[in-house]
Amino acid sequence: MNSQTGNIFVQVGATRDGLDPYLGVARKRSLSAVLVETPAYLRWRRQLGRSAFDVEIAVERPADPEAVRAALEALRPRIALMLPGFERYTASTYAAAELLGVPPQDARAERRFTPLDKSGQRAALDARAPGVLQPRYRTLPVRPSAGGQALDHLGLPLVIKPADGGGGLGVFVVDEPAQRDDAIAQIRAMTNYDGGAFSQIVLEEYVQGTEHSIQAVAHGGRAVVLTTCEKIILRERSRDAGRLVGFREVAHIASHGAQAPQAFQELAQRCIDATGYRSGPFHIDLIENARGVHFVEMGFRLSGGGIVALVRRVTDMDWAELSVASHLDGREPVLTRPPQGEGAVIGQATLASEDELRAAEQLLSRGVRAEILRFAAPASDPDDAGDDASLASDRLRHTGFVGRVVLYARHRDEARANLRHCIAARLED
């Protein structure tokens, strides 16, 4: 580690999947690990039995960079690096790091970086990478404007979502004008994680195709693709939005980055070029169809949903360590060799019921190489954390699962069929 850096790693926002990969990296590097989160979510983490950081700092509004700066000011001389652990706090992490003058925004940084929300990403690609395919889109203010909306030119169906949401929060697919208006009204009535307001609403044409994601590290402005995932997406009726239908990523089929299609590799590089992202982890969602590869959105952080562990299984590489090493050591990621045979692709699905756990167990009896991870019950009722409306979005998007199945296959078709077997009832609803 660079001798000029301190001995504290700061993570702003807790991971919602409980993996805490940066915590493990900090301990291997003998760094003190500090977590900044809301008081309510820190209580909930303890009740869920999540690993404790060395120091946990409660901040009512971690999305406010000045609040984060004030909470960390006394630690500033010892901070080696601060990174976001959750989508909601990506922008505030970088802004607070700039206020504090600590990595990744200190004097040694190649250039200052400002994370762009979903509408900002689209605008950056329009301006700097116009050849990248995107859905047609427009944005609306969260507060209704006096001039009306004039949205009919976009056509239908549409995907409607907050510009700065995450984890599928407030994402709806609509097929008719009345649903479109209901979705806009619903997002305007919702709050972001931690109870804050959304920045804007994005409306974009619905693109048919196969959904994928890219998991990567930027190093010195070069994109290193670690893995790509084909997704299985479930359309589900929203628990709190009446007849509206949203999306949930229920399964992923991962392949080694060395085997990624050239179009995926090129998209990853064009995205970091357009957004100015130079170092650290990122992921991209995309849709592939007969027209090509369509950019959907990107995140300037590690993925949630257990994807960090999936990257490790496929590549035998630690995505979090590679990201920290890029920042602190100036070390470029070097891809391992792709696995062969059984395990050439690895799939995982989150399981929502005992029936789905039993379906996963049936795979074992058929000789499928698989692992079933049953989630531990909370040490106490998470609702006791609970008083706080700031947890409403977390309860909506990050609860209700009993386990996860991870399975090994020779090719995507095999993995896809076995994953669909586990979650068949939900896919048929």
Side-chain angles (χ1 to χ4, degrees), residues 255-334:
S255 300
H256 196 283
Q259 300 169 325
Q262 185 63 31
F264 289 20
Q265 301 273 5
E266 291 174 358
L267 178 64
Q269 187 62 53
R270 296 178 81 177
C271 284
I272 65 168
D273 289 345
T275 59
Y277 191 59
R278 302 286 297 172
S279 293
F282 70 100
H283 55 93
I284 297 171
D285 293 335
L286 61 98
I287 296 172
E288 185 178 30
N289 62 19
R291 289 186 58 212
V293 171
H294 301 251
F295 172 84
V296 176
E297 62 190 48
M298 68 187 296
F300 306 100
R301 61 177 182 91
L302 299 173
S303 297
I307 299 296
V308 170
L310 194 57
V311 171
R312 185 192 287 271
R313 289 174 189 272
V314 174
T315 65
D316 198 29
M317 300 175 79
D318 185 331
W319 191 9
E321 168 58 29
L322 295 174
S323 303
V324 172
S326 176
H327 283 296
L328 293 186
D329 305 336
R331 190 169 75 237
E332 182 174 4
V334 178

Side-chain angles (χ1 to χ4, degrees), residues 48-127:
L48 291 169
R50 300 281 166 81
S51 298
F53 281 62
D54 299 307
V55 178
E56 298 183 348
I57 299 176
V59 174
E60 289 288 349
R61 292 182 52 79
D64 176 2
E66 176 56 34
V68 176
R69 182 211 62 77
L72 295 173
E73 183 61 44
L75 302 178
R76 182 187 59 77
R78 297 174 55 205
I79 295 175
L81 179 65
M82 56 188 293
L83 292 174
F86 184 52
E87 184 69 28
R88 168 66 170 147
Y89 307 123
T90 301
S92 64
T93 300
Y94 277 86
E98 183 162 5
L99 291 172
L100 291 162
V102 302
Q105 301 279 57
D106 67 341
R108 287 165 288 151
E110 295 176 77
R111 64 185 71 170
R112 298 294 189 267
F113 172 66
T114 300
L116 301 174
D117 67 11
K118 295 173 178 62
S119 61
Q121 292 164 22
R122 294 214 178 283
L125 287 170
D126 281 341

Side-chain angles (χ1 to χ4, degrees), residues 19 44 49 110 118 170 175 178 196 212 222 233 254 280 289 299 313 343 391 407:
L19 293 185
W44 198 6
E110 295 176 77
K118 295 173 178 62
D175 298 306
H212 299 265
R222 187 176 81 86
I233 306 291
N289 62 19
R313 289 174 189 272
L391 295 176
L407 54 85

Side-chain angles (χ1 to χ4, degrees), residues 19-30 33 53 318 320-321:
L19 293 185
D20 294 313
Y22 285 137
L23 178 59
V25 171
R27 290 189 170 152
K28 287 179 183 176
R29 288 172 166 261
S30 299
F53 281 62
D318 185 331
E321 168 58 29

Side-chain angles (χ1 to χ4, degrees), residues 232-233 251 349 407 415-425 427-428:
I232 298 177
I233 306 291
L407 54 85
R416 190 183 308 112
N418 286 330
L419 290 171
R420 292 180 71 89
H421 165 79
C422 297
I423 57 176
L427 294 174
E428 293 169 0

